[in-house]
PDB file of all heavy atoms in Angstrom:
ATOM      1  N   PHE B 128      67.006 102.384 138.152  1.00 95.00           N
ATOM      2  CA  PHE B 128      67.393 101.351 139.153  1.00 95.00           C
ATOM      3  C   PHE B 128      68.350 102.101 140.103  1.00 95.00           C
ATOM      4  O   PHE B 128      69.145 102.961 139.633  1.00 95.00           O
ATOM      5  CB  PHE B 128      68.115 100.146 138.491  1.00 95.00           C
ATOM      6  CG  PHE B 128      67.177  99.309 137.740  1.00 95.00           C
ATOM      7  CD1 PHE B 128      67.034  99.427 136.337  1.00 95.00           C
ATOM      8  CD2 PHE B 128      66.375  98.227 138.315  1.00 95.00           C
ATOM      9  CE1 PHE B 128      66.206  98.683 135.651  1.00 95.00           C
ATOM     10  CE2 PHE B 128      65.500  97.556 137.589  1.00 95.00           C
ATOM     11  CZ  PHE B 128      65.455  97.686 136.230  1.00 95.00           C
ATOM     12  N   ASP B 129      68.353 101.654 141.335  1.00 95.00           N
ATOM     13  CA  ASP B 129      69.202 102.231 142.404  1.00 95.00           C
ATOM     14  C   ASP B 129      70.549 101.525 142.340  1.00 95.00           C
ATOM     15  O   ASP B 129      70.779 100.403 142.820  1.00 95.00           O
ATOM     16  CB  ASP B 129      68.455 102.151 143.765  1.00 95.00           C
ATOM     17  CG  ASP B 129      69.297 102.830 144.860  1.00 95.00           C
ATOM     18  OD1 ASP B 129      70.486 102.970 144.783  1.00 95.00           O
ATOM     19  OD2 ASP B 129      68.674 103.238 145.906  1.00 95.00           O
ATOM     20  N   GLY B 130      71.664 102.232 141.825  1.00 94.00           N
ATOM     21  CA  GLY B 130      72.852 101.611 141.690  1.00 94.00           C
ATOM     22  C   GLY B 130      73.545 101.096 143.046  1.00 94.00           C
ATOM     23  O   GLY B 130      73.849  99.953 143.013  1.00 94.00           O
ATOM     24  N   PRO B 131      73.611 101.968 144.068  1.00 94.00           N
ATOM     25  CA  PRO B 131      74.273 101.518 145.268  1.00 94.00           C
ATOM     26  C   PRO B 131      73.527 100.264 145.866  1.00 94.00           C
ATOM     27  O   PRO B 131      74.094  99.388 146.410  1.00 94.00           O
ATOM     28  CB  PRO B 131      74.076 102.729 146.224  1.00 94.00           C
ATOM     29  CG  PRO B 131      74.103 103.885 145.284  1.00 94.00           C
ATOM     30  CD  PRO B 131      73.368 103.458 144.142  1.00 94.00           C
ATOM     31  N   ARG B 132      72.179 100.236 145.796  1.00 94.00           N
ATOM     32  CA  ARG B 132      71.375  99.099 146.283  1.00 94.00           C
ATOM     33  C   ARG B 132      71.680  97.796 145.531  1.00 94.00           C
ATOM     34  O   ARG B 132      71.746  96.721 146.066  1.00 94.00           O
ATOM     35  CB  ARG B 132      69.897  99.410 146.342  1.00 94.00           C
ATOM     36  CG  ARG B 132      69.489 100.138 147.551  1.00 94.00           C
ATOM     37  CD  ARG B 132      67.956 100.332 147.494  1.00 94.00           C
ATOM     38  NE  ARG B 132      67.192  99.148 147.692  1.00 94.00           N
ATOM     39  CZ  ARG B 132      65.834  99.168 147.605  1.00 94.00           C
ATOM     40  NH1 ARG B 132      65.184 100.237 147.310  1.00 94.00           N
ATOM     41  NH2 ARG B 132      65.171  98.003 147.710  1.00 94.00           N
ATOM     42  N   LEU B 133      71.817  98.001 144.135  1.00 94.00           N
ATOM     43  CA  LEU B 133      72.182  96.913 143.273  1.00 94.00           C
ATOM     44  C   LEU B 133      73.524  96.333 143.647  1.00 94.00           C
ATOM     45  O   LEU B 133      73.715  95.039 143.790  1.00 94.00           O
ATOM     46  CB  LEU B 133      72.291  97.233 141.844  1.00 94.00           C
ATOM     47  CG  LEU B 133      70.890  97.264 141.045  1.00 94.00           C
ATOM     48  CD1 LEU B 133      71.183  97.845 139.666  1.00 94.00           C
ATOM     49  CD2 LEU B 133      70.327  95.885 140.955  1.00 94.00           C
ATOM     50  N   LYS B 134      74.442  97.218 144.040  1.00 93.00           N
ATOM     51  CA  LYS B 134      75.804  96.809 144.296  1.00 93.00           C
ATOM     52  C   LYS B 134      75.835  96.115 145.694  1.00 93.00           C
ATOM     53  O   LYS B 134      76.462  95.095 145.923  1.00 93.00           O
ATOM     54  CB  LYS B 134      76.775  97.953 144.269  1.00 93.00           C
ATOM     55  CG  LYS B 134      77.232  98.243 142.759  1.00 93.00           C
ATOM     56  CD  LYS B 134      78.327  99.165 142.744  1.00 93.00           C
ATOM     57  CE  LYS B 134      77.811 100.531 142.750  1.00 93.00           C
ATOM     58  NZ  LYS B 134      78.811 101.562 142.298  1.00 93.00           N
ATOM     59  N   GLU B 135      75.042  96.681 146.653  1.00 94.00           N
ATOM     60  CA  GLU B 135      74.877  96.050 147.919  1.00 94.00           C
ATOM     61  C   GLU B 135      74.409  94.607 147.863  1.00 94.00           C
ATOM     62  O   GLU B 135      74.875  93.682 148.448  1.00 94.00           O
ATOM     63  CB  GLU B 135      73.902  96.850 148.845  1.00 94.00           C
ATOM     64  CG  GLU B 135      74.327  97.143 150.243  1.00 94.00           C
ATOM     65  CD  GLU B 135      73.228  98.018 150.790  1.00 94.00           C
ATOM     66  OE1 GLU B 135      73.339  99.254 150.720  1.00 94.00           O
ATOM     67  OE2 GLU B 135      72.241  97.434 151.389  1.00 94.00           O
ATOM     68  N   ALA B 136      73.328  94.493 147.037  1.00 95.00           N
ATOM     69  CA  ALA B 136      72.733  93.180 146.929  1.00 95.00           C
ATOM     70  C   ALA B 136      73.736  92.207 146.182  1.00 95.00           C
ATOM     71  O   ALA B 136      73.814  91.028 146.576  1.00 95.00           O
ATOM     72  CB  ALA B 136      71.476  93.289 146.021  1.00 95.00           C
ATOM     73  N   SER B 137      74.567  92.727 145.319  1.00 94.00           N
ATOM     74  CA  SER B 137      75.553  91.848 144.686  1.00 94.00           C
ATOM     75  C   SER B 137      76.624  91.504 145.619  1.00 94.00           C
ATOM     76  O   SER B 137      77.181  90.272 145.595  1.00 94.00           O
ATOM     77  CB  SER B 137      76.188  92.550 143.599  1.00 94.00           C
ATOM     78  OG  SER B 137      75.167  92.994 142.557  1.00 94.00           O
ATOM     79  N   GLU B 138      77.014  92.384 146.565  1.00 94.00           N
ATOM     80  CA  GLU B 138      78.023  92.095 147.457  1.00 94.00           C
ATOM     81  C   GLU B 138      77.582  90.815 148.411  1.00 94.00           C
ATOM     82  O   GLU B 138      78.336  89.899 148.668  1.00 94.00           O
ATOM     83  CB  GLU B 138      78.390  93.188 148.371  1.00 94.00           C
ATOM     84  CG  GLU B 138      79.150  94.344 147.686  1.00 94.00           C
ATOM     85  CD  GLU B 138      80.580  94.032 147.312  1.00 94.00           C
ATOM     86  OE1 GLU B 138      81.218  93.331 148.099  1.00 94.00           O
ATOM     87  OE2 GLU B 138      81.012  94.499 146.290  1.00 94.00           O
TER      88      GLU B 138
END
Side-chain angles (χ1 to χ4, degrees):
Chain B
F128 292 95
D129 186 329
R132 275 179 69 186
L133 275 176
K134 281 192 275 196
E135 223 179 272
S137 301
E138 291 289 326

